Amino acid sequence: MDAATIAAELKAEFPDEVIDINKFRGQVGVYLKKNRILDIARYLHDTPQYNLDFLKDLCGVDYIDIKVPRFEVAYNLYSIKHGHMLRLNVQVSENNAELDSVVEVWAGANWHERECYDMYGIVFNNHPDLRRILLPEDWEGYPLRKDYPLAGAEEEWRGFKEVLKKAEEFKQYAWNRKKT
Amino acid sequence: MEQEEDLKTRHMVINMGPQHPSTHGVLRLKLELDGETVVKCTPYVGYLHRGTEKLAESMTYLQVIPLTDRLDYISSMTNNIGYCLAVERLFEIEVPLRAKYIRTLVGELSRISSHLLWLATHALDIGAMTVFLYAFRERERILDLFELLTGARLTVTYPRIGGVKSDVNQEFIDTAYAFAEEFPSRVQEYETLIDVNRIWLKRTVGVGILSAEEAINWGLSGATLRGSGVNYDVRKRFPYDAYDLVEFDVPIGKNGDVYDRYLCRVEELRQSVRIIKQCIEALPRGPIMSPDAPKFTLPAKDKVLGDMESLIHHFMLITKGPMTAPKGQLYVAIEAPKGELGYYIVSDGTGKPYRMRIRSPSFVHVSALPRLCEGRLLADVVANIGTIDVVLGECDR
């Protein structure tokens, strides 16, 4: 099935949710509001003629100073059976940066959503285990946001200081060392 | 009897990794055990996180290529190819046929070397040491070939946007062909060691079973997915480079266990040899860089030193990058040795990628590890880590 046809039918099914349909280099992207993303995901996954069962990728994009709403979550979908591809670009605003998780539709979304949360601070509701994934749990800020600096002050991660302090503490024990 | 009722049992939590020989890098697994059975498995990743995606946003399209080497560092050639393909698609550059064949050739060499490393370490984890020594013997020859071609053994940075860096010479072609002639007999050697080895069968058959639906749902790709009987290979579905001009088969598994995935990858070694031979035999004459390429490729060093035009060209490329990137976003994937490696590039019309997302197969595969391990024995964890074929450099990016 042609991706443009799916996009058109999606617009007919969810007229209030689809904002725009974009085509670039043969790939079709559907711009969506975030409210009913779970319904749309399930619809695309379960409808036999679409059967978009393979979540290739899920990632966030930060469009600060370019457009409102600021964030976008991009879902690259593929159907193993039919061989068609579709992208969903879900719009997420900055002051209400949360949307429903699609883990119950595609299990593989689990870590992608965690990474998106880790890097952009976008919260996925009903996610089974929403924690930071690539960065330490006590990291401050969301690095892939455009207003996060590329290089920071020369300051060590404070967890590292704790490690050094621990090492100092341990030095007072003899650890079976032979006394000289 | 009463005493036994008083005995309180609790689950034991052990940390496997980050420094553990069979976690293939710095992967840490928190395992909750009930005796020998894994009740809960929580992977922790990120120890190798270098912020590649953030770095790429501050670099021109050309400068990003060496960054991609450091993702899957045992198969850097395919990472480069995937990135270059994505950018070529964005700029609509048509790569000359000779360069396409060369890329396919080196990509398949890279696949063999990656699969050999996988086979070696996977077998070593399960206890078959000899395979490790055999596989490294052949891998060394591929690395020597890369050294001959690019000067580097691991981080090659050989493909360029619009083609490849330099042409292959006769020595490379002869050595590669001799290797391809000989290699199938080597594969047979590995197979005689473990194919019907009773210990190998006991450790792999029926372990880590994933049904086709589940494997798709988890987003697995590459041989990890094909082992479950799903016919999905990016080289066939979205042919790139010269893959639509060569003949090869995609091996498919049946049971979706560790043994089937092993069979798939070993058969892929043979198919790669087939592709390499066809590439060498059909290698056409012609340029190795697209005619559009001067906009993207640095001029040769001697030209920069002697020719004003080239100097300006060099300067502009380094400082500004190609200025005419079309606005848009696209997702381009290749079949890397580990699975589907995708690049999602958002371009805002400047010379730098506005957003470059790397969809790495290892990241997805590690996320499915709890599904494979939970409810199984502790010893199977090692077999499962081996079978999903991960490299943590790619997982953490």
Side-chain angles (χ1 to χ4, degrees):
Chain A
M1 204 173 196
D2 186 21
T5 322
I6 303 176
E9 288 182 23
L10 187 67
K11 193 177 165 67
E13 185 74 23
F14 297 90
D16 298 337
E17 297 298 310
V18 178
I19 303 167
D20 193 14
I21 294 168
N22 168 288
K23 203 169 178 191
F24 181 73
R25 301 279 184 268
Q27 298 186 0
V28 178
V30 184
Y31 289 79
L32 293 172
K33 289 179 190 163
K34 66 172 188 180
N35 299 334
R36 292 185 65 193
I37 176 64
L38 188 59
D39 294 336
I40 292 170
R42 202 172 280 132
Y43 172 71
L44 290 173
H45 182 277
D46 294 347
T47 311
Q49 68 265 35
Y50 311 142
N51 198 10
L52 290 157
D53 49 2
F54 192 65
L55 179 74
K56 279 179 170 237
D57 188 26
L58 185 159
C59 70
V61 188
D62 180 3
Y63 285 102
I64 189 171
D65 301 335
I66 290 186
K67 69 176 186 188
V68 180
R70 177 177 167 183
F71 296 114
E72 193 176 283
V73 179
Y75 301 70
N76 279 296
L77 306 173
Y78 181 74
S79 167
I80 299 266
K81 192 176 163 200
H82 303 298
H84 47 230
M85 218 172 119
L86 186 73
R87 189 177 58 243
L88 307 178
N89 297 71
V90 179
Q91 308 298 314
V92 180
S93 64
E94 186 180 359
N95 42 24
N96 186 17
E98 53 178 288
L99 72 162
D100 286 338
S101 162
V102 293
V103 174
E104 49 186 284
V105 183
W106 297 286
N110 189 324
W111 277 29
H112 289 311
E113 287 182 350
R114 273 179 72 186
E115 193 190 341
C116 189
Y117 163 72
D118 195 2
M119 295 296 163
Y120 289 95
I122 298 171
V123 176
F124 291 86
N125 298 327
N126 302 325
H127 187 283
D129 184 23
L130 196 67
R131 287 178 292 124
R132 283 199 182 264
I133 183 161
L134 293 177
L135 300 175
E137 273 164 36
D138 55 351
W139 193 268
E140 281 169 17
Y142 301 104
L144 276 179
R145 287 188 175 188
K146 287 283 177 181
D147 50 6
Y148 191 93
L150 184 66
E154 289 281 328
E155 198 187 333
E156 267 149 4
W157 168 57
R158 66 194 139 86
F160 186 58
K161 276 180 199 151
E162 278 166 32
V163 173
L164 289 180
K165 216 174 105 195
K166 262 243 154 89
E168 278 302 312
E169 270 173 34
F170 284 148
K171 272 187 190 164
Q172 59 181 304
Y173 304 109
W175 299 115
N176 298 333
R177 221 181 298 150
K178 275 184 189 161
K179 278 176 189 165
T180 47
Chain B
M1 275 306 280
E2 261 176 47
Q3 258 190 340
E4 259 180 42
E5 271 170 26
D6 286 345
L7 276 177
K8 284 198 177 112
T9 58
R10 57 175 183 161
H11 292 160
M12 186 181 176
V13 178
I14 65 162
N15 263 308
M16 186 170 168
Q19 284 88 14
H20 189 283
S22 61
T23 55
H24 297 205
V26 280
L27 168 68
R28 181 178 141 219
L29 298 176
K30 202 169 103 186
L31 300 168
E32 213 177 296
L33 301 177
D34 179 8
E36 282 275 310
T37 313
V38 179
V39 180
K40 194 170 168 18
C41 162
T42 321
Y44 289 84
V45 297
Y47 293 94
L48 274 180
H49 181 59
R50 291 145 297 174
T52 308
E53 291 174 9
K54 181 82 175 173
L55 276 173
E57 289 175 7
S58 66
M59 291 178 166
T60 63
Y61 285 102
L62 194 65
Q63 289 171 319
V64 176
I65 300 176
L67 284 185
T68 61
D69 277 310
R70 274 89 186 156
L71 299 170
D72 177 0
Y73 38 75
I74 57 170
S75 169
S76 51
M77 202 68 95
T78 46
N79 304 339
N80 298 155
I81 292 172
Y83 172 73
C84 291
L85 278 168
V87 178
E88 281 155 12
R89 187 94 182 270
L90 175 70
F91 283 93
E92 289 190 303
I93 301 169
E94 181 61 29
V95 178
L97 199 60
R98 186 177 173 86
K100 282 186 176 179
Y101 270 101
I102 295 175
R103 277 191 195 180
T104 312
L105 166 63
V106 293
E108 289 307 313
L109 278 175
S110 195
R111 187 183 315 278
I112 292 180
S113 114
S114 170
H115 277 11
L116 284 178
L117 189 103
W118 159 80
L119 180 68
T121 51
H122 186 35
L124 188 65
D125 291 346
I126 295 183
M129 178 122 189
T130 321
V131 188
F132 175 82
L133 300 170
Y134 279 21
F136 263 62
R137 181 185 60 194
E138 269 75 63
R139 181 171 177 262
E140 195 61 22
R141 292 179 61 183
I142 295 177
L143 297 187
D144 286 345
L145 272 171
F146 284 165
E147 195 176 1
L148 182 66
L149 181 64
T150 70
R153 288 159 62 82
L154 289 172
T155 49
V156 287
T157 323
Y158 176 65
R160 290 287 186 279
I161 299 163
V164 290
K165 180 185 163 274
S166 53
D167 208 342
V168 291
N169 58 17
Q170 197 56 44
E171 190 191 350
F172 176 84
I173 289 179
D174 291 344
T175 326
Y177 200 81
F179 173 77
E181 287 273 275
E182 189 197 317
F183 188 61
S185 69
R186 300 294 188 189
V187 178
Q188 209 165 5
E189 275 183 28
Y190 315 144
E191 286 180 336
T192 50
L193 281 174
I194 48 180
D195 234 17
V196 287
N197 183 322
R198 201 188 300 167
I199 303 171
W200 181 262
L201 291 174
K202 283 251 177 196
R203 292 294 305 272
T204 56
V205 175
V207 174
I209 296 179
L210 267 181
S211 69
E213 291 77 35
E214 224 171 345
I216 294 172
N217 198 244
W218 274 100
L220 305 183
S221 50
T224 317
L225 177 65
R226 290 192 288 272
S228 298
V230 182
N231 188 354
Y232 175 67
D233 187 317
V234 184
R235 293 174 294 177
K236 291 278 188 197
R237 297 279 181 121
F238 302 92
Y240 54 93
D241 286 344
Y243 283 108
D244 47 351
L245 304 168
V246 292
E247 271 178 35
F248 65 100
D249 299 324
V250 180
I252 309 284
K254 236 187 261 165
N255 307 319
D257 57 3
V258 176
Y259 187 67
D260 273 25
R261 290 189 276 267
Y262 153 76
L263 290 180
C264 280
R265 291 205 178 93
V266 169
E267 184 54 35
E268 272 179 26
L269 288 174
R270 292 213 177 81
Q271 297 302 328
S272 293
V273 168
R274 256 179 93 188
I275 299 173
I276 290 169
K277 277 191 177 172
Q278 289 176 61
C279 283
I280 294 176
E281 279 155 10
L283 191 64
R285 294 186 178 278
I288 51 160
M289 260 294 175
S290 149
D292 309 325
K295 281 192 280 177
F296 306 94
T297 320
L298 299 178
K301 195 71 192 171
D302 54 328
K303 278 197 173 167
V304 176
L305 294 174
D307 178 24
M308 191 62 196
E309 288 271 301
S310 301
L311 181 65
I312 295 172
H313 176 200
H314 185 277
F315 178 77
M316 291 304 281
L317 259 181
I318 290 294
T319 51
K320 294 229 167 82
M323 288 299 288
T324 49
K327 269 189 194 183
Q329 43 194 300
L330 77 170
Y331 176 89
V332 176
I334 62 154
E335 183 74 22
K338 312 265 176 313
E340 173 170 335
L341 174 71
Y343 290 89
Y344 176 63
I345 295 182
V346 178
S347 158
D348 62 342
T350 59
K352 297 171 180 175
Y354 185 76
R355 167 87 167 103
M356 189 187 84
R357 156 79 178 172
I358 303 156
R359 185 263 193 223
S360 63
S362 299
F363 185 72
V364 184
H365 289 178
V366 176
S367 80
L369 204 52
R371 163 64 194 79
L372 288 168
C373 294
E374 279 170 14
R376 304 285 313 194
L377 294 178
L378 175 61
D380 292 342
V381 172
V382 174
N384 283 327
I385 296 173
T387 193
I388 56 173
D389 192 12
V390 290
V391 158
L392 272 293
E394 182 184 57
C395 175
D396 299 346
R397 283 154 290 152

